[in-house]
Amino acid sequence: MHRRPHALRLPVAGLSAALLITAALTTTPAPATPVPGAPAAAGDYCGGRCLDILPPGENGNATLAEIILNRMFGSRPAHTDDQLGPYAALAAGYPGLTEAQLRSFFNDASFGVPADQVASTTRPRADVAIVRDKATGVPHITGTTRYGTEFGAGYAAAQDRLWVMDLFRHVGRGELSGFAGGAAANRQLEQSFWQAAPYTEDELQRQIDAIAGQGDRAKQALNDATAYLDGINQYVKEAYDGRYFPGEYDLSGHIDPITNQGSIAPFKLTDLVALASVVGALFGSGGGGELASAQVKSAAEARYGKEAGDAVWKSLREADDPEAVQTLHDGQSFPYAQAPDDPQGAALPDPGSVVPERLVYDATGSAGQLTTPAGGVLPGNLLRGRHGMSNALLVSGSHTDDGHPVAVFGPQTGYFAPQLLMLEEIQGPGISARGAAFAGLSFYVQLGRGQDYAWSATSAGQDITDTYAVPLCTTDGSPVTTAANSYRWHGQCLPFDRLERKNAWSPTTADSTAAGSYTLVMYRSRYGLVTARGTVGGAPVAFTSLRSSYRHEADSIIGFQELNDPGAVHDAASFQRAAQDINYTFNWFYADSRDIAYYNSGANPVRAPGVDPGLPVRAEPAYEWADFDPVANTARYTPPAEHPQSVNQDYYISWNNKQAAGYAPAGYGNGSVHRANLLDDRVKALLKNGGRASRVSLTQAMESAALADLRAEDVLPELLRVIRSAPVTDPAAVTAVQQLESWLAHGAQRRETSAGSQTYADAAAIRIMDAWWPLAAEGVMRPGLGDQLFAALTGALQINESPSGGQPGPGGGPVSANESIPHKGSAFQYGWWSYLDKDLRAVLGQPVAGPLARPFCGGGDLAACRSVLLDTLKRAAAQTPAQVYPGDADCAAGNQWCADTVIQRPLGGVTDAKTTWQNRPTYQQVVQFSAHR
């Protein structure tokens, strides 16, 4: 039985009565009447060869009446799911894809709307028109003045994403529960964001004031944002007065559905900073795992001794693994954040001393409940869950069918209904772009296309966050313990800043959680936010997190403005200059009719000589960032020339992998096997022996990788070679091995037998692989690591990340690193793929560059290793489907296909159908420009 998603739970009793009431009192706006003289399209040099897609649909607003009708009868507002079907269908349709069929799976992303395709035209002001097309309802905003253009962008954003925008301005302030309800997931989510980016309202305003002093572009950006907010607030007023605002405001108790009493708070500039902090925390930061890495190092040294243990730690860390797939593969080197041979200032915590910082105080009522019947509007571990977002495939014109570069790229931002992103086209003085933007920040297109170029990004995650061990002190002469709330700074004993957020909630129709309240508290030092306490060499310390983009959440506004400005971006070099003005950690990609290009952005701090960025550092002047100013949180940053960058490499791929030689990743997991290998191998195959790429073949390469099981494609062959090193005689093992070998021969993909069958081909082999991986990883590694090091390593890098989010294996730490979000699509970013690959190849006697420092499987003995793998394989094969896929609120136990499915997680009242699994960007472009200005 397939259960429907149910984020907003409406009581069955009373639905009909509610429908009658809302039908009488709620007005759904009639589509605006098309008017003559729609603005002409701007210069478009793509020649009809720019496509895009963003499921489920552009329309993210539904009135209360529409929500109830959706729940009772399945009806839905227009354009809420019309991009979901084409997006999902590519999984079955890609093998026979043709040029003519591309538009069956993607939207036409040309500028403008043909006259016969105009569905409506709205003019919220005389100087702007919002034209919506019949096919998808995407807003095409054209203004004759800059103010009017941005006013229209805000008005259209509110039309399409008002509720989502409101949710996330509260998430960014750590106050979701008071707005959307006290469900456990809501509280968990607001707590994680309050830990990552706590600000007072005055501090949010100060970030805006700081931007205002950065020159003419910055002033224009703030003017744009102000006009955008004016457009949002105009729509809010009209929708409230006309009673066609999103029905979630009724369901969550903000507006009375009968009397219309209540309000929607106006949006303001500080809301945009709060929204930007959400985007930056989710997708544009890196580092901060130094405590977990230190615990791996300490456990390794305890297990093997200092010298041997340090070698094991370094090999598991894979900071500059020679076998790691890299985006830049022409021999370029960009040294950054490398581990020194003789680290200076490292502050390893005493074993067992680290305690996470207390966050919740003064809890009342349901605040003490760890679980609630209400599920929350967003996953509670949205921020804490590991994120590997976005992919890109670009081929230079010298290797394509018609001599013009081809790009297939987009961000993997999860799946929600409405989507976190929205599509739009903006045309006005100094702005000409179409693409995707985060709801509430859509005064500029963040990923998309201009007149003769397109751009996209993947999360880079290089290390811009460091952990300091800050000595604690007292001002009254009392003994210093880990409970002290003062710290040492340059010889002074200073009190921590105390940042508070008080939240209270009551039950509503949408969230039945009983009333409760609490206060969230974060302590802040000049070395960053306190995340944990412990001891170093017996001395009490606070472990703090210092992120270079903290207090600078909105600084990237200038770079995004430039990307939208045809006067600022006109070739690869000007694109790279625009990307330099973005302080988020992103890999930026560019394509026009002549060139492809790449640039890695981010505020990379210059560290003190000898400091290891992968370990906690003593909080002393000698180990601070160069030119560090704690008040403004600024430092000296690596210059643009030291950021990985390139123009016209034969091809680029990225799937959140290592950027270039010498450019050390912030965390673990960049070794010989990475999901980016799935892209790299396929593009290499396309270009082999003089092959030429096209929009079709590059899309096929992307989708083939989207359905691949990384473990099966890149590690299963070694697993089976070890097992086949001697005859297999056990009948159960023989059957399992034959099934796995057959799956490998068929391509090791997770594909339906036919479109819509809801059953995988090679289903038995897939079930065995899912069950086997965590058992094999533990069986291979745990005996050699020992329990303490094994647990520490799982706290730094999870064992598995399967499509279903299940089969995690053992976890380490108070919050398991294996914690994952089901039905999220994205998979195989984090896991022990490289460890097993390197270790098994060594056991088989194959060459390994950058090997693990010691053998693990069977202690390096092939026969003993084979015994481990056979034993774990038989145990895996014996597991029933219900054991491997235990079921959840959306899927029955044992339903393999359903367990993997992608669900557009409902942020509001309208829900969507499950779709077959794909590991693919949420928003995606397929582009090949034919001309240039």
Side-chain angles (χ1 to χ4, degrees), residues 660-746:
Y663 205 67
Y668 289 53
N670 279 270
S672 58
V673 177
H674 189 283
R675 67 177 181 179
N677 291 103
L678 299 173
L679 301 179
D680 196 59
D681 292 344
R682 284 158 173 79
V683 177
K684 280 181 180 175
L686 275 181
L687 305 186
K688 187 177 180 181
N689 299 324
R692 300 277 172 172
S694 67
R695 291 196 306 164
V696 168
S697 64
L698 206 59
T699 300
Q700 289 174 314
M702 176 280 303
E703 187 63 18
S704 174
L707 301 179
D709 188 307
L710 175 66
R711 306 163 304 182
E713 184 165 317
D714 282 359
V715 187
L716 181 57
E718 280 83 30
L719 289 164
L720 292 177
R721 284 191 194 105
V722 172
I723 287 177
R724 287 291 196 187
S725 63
V728 181
T729 57
D730 181 87
V734 168
T735 299
V737 167
Q738 290 174 342
Q739 289 171 326
L740 291 167
E741 289 174 336
S742 177
W743 183 33
L744 268 179
H746 295 157

Side-chain angles (χ1 to χ4, degrees), residues 280-663:
L282 281 174
F283 308 115
S285 62
E290 293 81 14
L291 267 178
S293 185
Q295 289 168 322
V296 175
K297 177 178 171 67
S298 295
E301 292 177 354
R303 175 73 169 172
Y304 303 114
K306 183 169 179 55
E307 184 174 344
D310 192 56
V312 168
W313 169 69
K314 287 179 179 178
S315 70
L316 294 171
R317 185 176 169 186
E318 298 177 318
D320 200 11
D321 190 89
E323 295 183 328
V325 60
Q326 297 174 171
T327 296
L328 301 186
H329 55 248
D330 280 351
Q332 310 97 315
S333 180
F334 294 88
Y336 176 70
Q338 293 181 322
D341 292 332
D342 183 22
Q344 301 297 303
L348 271 64
D350 297 331
S353 72
V354 177
V355 178
E357 181 72 352
R358 181 181 175 186
L359 179 66
V360 176
Y361 290 79
D362 305 325
T364 69
S366 61
Q369 297 176 5
L370 298 179
T371 60
T372 54
V377 291
L378 285 157
N381 60 358
L382 182 66
L383 179 59
R384 287 178 177 152
R386 299 298 185 92
H387 293 280
M389 301 294 175
S390 320
N391 71 29
L393 307 86
L394 298 89
V395 177
S396 71
S398 59
H399 298 279
T400 64
D401 54 348
D402 70 352
H404 298 300
V406 179
V408 178
F409 47 20
Q412 229 168 329
T413 55
Y415 295 95
F416 301 93
Q419 195 52 256
L420 306 186
L421 296 167
M422 61 172 284
L423 287 177
E424 63 181 351
E425 178 185 352
I426 309 179
Q427 303 288 351
I431 302 178
S432 183
R434 173 196 164 113
F438 284 95
L441 297 171
S442 57
F443 43 95
Y444 303 135
V445 169
Q446 278 124 36
L447 306 134
R449 57 155 301 197
Q451 294 180 2
D452 55 4
Y453 60 92
W455 77 95
S456 190
T458 67
S459 294
Q462 74 263 22
D463 199 344
I464 65 168
T465 307
D466 284 350
T467 298
Y468 283 90
V470 182
L472 295 172
C473 59
T474 58
T475 57
D476 60 2
S478 60
V480 180
T481 69
T482 55
N485 279 327
S486 296
Y487 67 100
R488 290 285 176 192
W489 165 263
H490 293 201
Q492 305 175 67
C493 186
L494 302 179
F496 288 115
D497 297 336
R498 179 182 167 102
L499 301 170
E500 293 188 359
R501 177 68 70 215
K502 295 182 182 296
N503 291 322
W505 55 89
S506 299
T508 66
T509 303
D511 187 337
S512 60
T513 305
S517 66
Y518 59 25
T519 301
L520 302 181
V521 176
M522 281 296 291
Y523 287 100
R524 184 174 62 197
S525 74
R526 295 188 176 186
Y527 287 107
L529 301 165
V530 177
T531 62
R533 297 176 188 243
T535 59
V536 173
V541 299
F543 292 102
T544 64
S545 178
L546 184 64
R547 171 168 57 92
S548 67
S549 54
Y550 183 68
R551 298 185 191 267
H552 300 278
E553 311 291 356
D555 288 10
S556 296
I557 191 172
I558 296 171
F560 286 115
Q561 182 195 77
E562 291 170 318
L563 290 172
N564 283 245
D565 183 352
V569 175
H570 44 79
D571 57 18
S574 56
F575 156 76
Q576 290 179 326
R577 286 194 295 272
Q580 290 167 16
D581 287 330
I582 295 172
N583 70 347
Y584 298 142
T585 58
F586 284 121
N587 301 303
W588 292 99
F589 296 91
Y590 169 92
D592 62 21
S593 66
R594 305 175 300 202
D595 301 311
I596 56 175
Y598 164 78
Y599 186 84
N600 166 258
S601 71
N604 294 356
V606 175
R607 295 177 173 87
V611 165
D612 188 336
L615 292 173
V617 183
R618 295 206 303 267
E620 299 173 10
Y623 308 116
E624 293 171 4
W625 294 343
D627 302 332
F628 178 54
D629 177 353
V631 177
N633 193 39
T634 57
R636 189 192 316 161
Y637 308 109
T638 58
E642 295 181 13
H643 285 246
Q645 56 196 282
S646 168
V647 177
N648 285 333
Q649 188 173 262
D650 55 350
Y651 70 89
Y652 301 110
I653 61 91
S654 177
W655 209 347
N656 319 110
N657 53 287
K658 184 177 172 63
Q659 289 84 6
Y663 205 67

Side-chain angles (χ1 to χ4, degrees), residues 39-290:
D44 188 341
Y45 294 83
C46 205
R49 307 188 76 189
C50 285
L51 308 173
D52 63 15
I53 190 83
L54 177 63
E58 179 61 24
N59 184 5
N61 282 352
T63 65
L64 180 58
E66 289 170 328
I67 291 172
I68 293 172
L69 286 169
N70 174 254
R71 292 305 179 90
M72 293 181 68
F73 306 111
S75 63
R76 55 192 313 120
H79 302 306
T80 53
D81 70 344
D82 49 11
Q83 296 182 63
L84 183 58
Y87 181 92
L90 188 63
Y94 86 91
L97 188 65
T98 66
E99 181 73 24
Q101 291 173 338
L102 277 171
R103 291 199 184 189
S104 298
F105 305 104
F106 296 91
N107 310 317
D108 181 0
S110 299
F111 281 170
V113 184
D116 63 351
Q117 291 301 307
V118 173
S120 67
T121 301
T122 303
R123 295 186 182 273
R125 286 171 49 92
D127 52 0
V128 65
I130 303 169
V131 176
R132 293 187 182 267
D133 60 78
K134 291 178 180 178
T136 60
V138 168
H140 303 258
I141 302 140
T142 305
T144 57
T145 68
R146 183 77 173 221
Y147 179 90
T149 303
E150 289 295 0
F151 185 99
Y155 193 92
Q159 285 180 314
D160 288 349
R161 292 291 189 278
L162 179 56
W163 174 248
V164 175
M165 291 155 52
D166 220 342
L167 281 179
F168 276 92
R169 65 170 166 173
H170 287 88
V171 169
R173 285 184 170 85
E175 54 184 20
L176 180 62
S177 60
F179 178 75
N186 289 348
R187 287 181 275 122
Q188 183 184 357
L189 183 62
E190 69 186 0
Q191 290 167 24
S192 64
F193 274 96
W194 186 247
Q195 287 177 311
Y199 296 110
T200 66
E201 201 67 17
D202 181 61
E203 288 170 343
L204 294 175
Q205 181 61 47
R206 271 185 252 162
Q207 295 188 52
I208 295 165
D209 298 339
I211 292 172
Q214 295 179 21
D216 291 342
R217 275 204 174 272
K219 291 177 182 176
Q220 182 62 65
L222 291 182
N223 289 339
D224 291 343
T226 299
Y228 177 80
L229 291 169
D230 289 346
I232 291 174
N233 290 328
Q234 178 63 29
Y235 179 81
V236 168
K237 181 181 184 304
E238 292 175 5
Y240 178 79
D241 291 344
R243 304 187 75 165
Y244 51 81
F245 50 82
E248 291 84 2
Y249 286 103
D250 296 302
L251 297 171
S252 55
H254 293 285
I255 298 175
D256 188 292
I258 298 176
T259 66
N260 211 39
Q261 291 297 305
S263 65
I264 301 171
F267 283 72
K268 52 190 177 181
L269 281 172
T270 50
D271 292 332
L272 303 188
V273 182
L275 283 160
S277 73
V278 173
V279 175
L282 281 174
F283 308 115
S285 62
E290 293 81 14

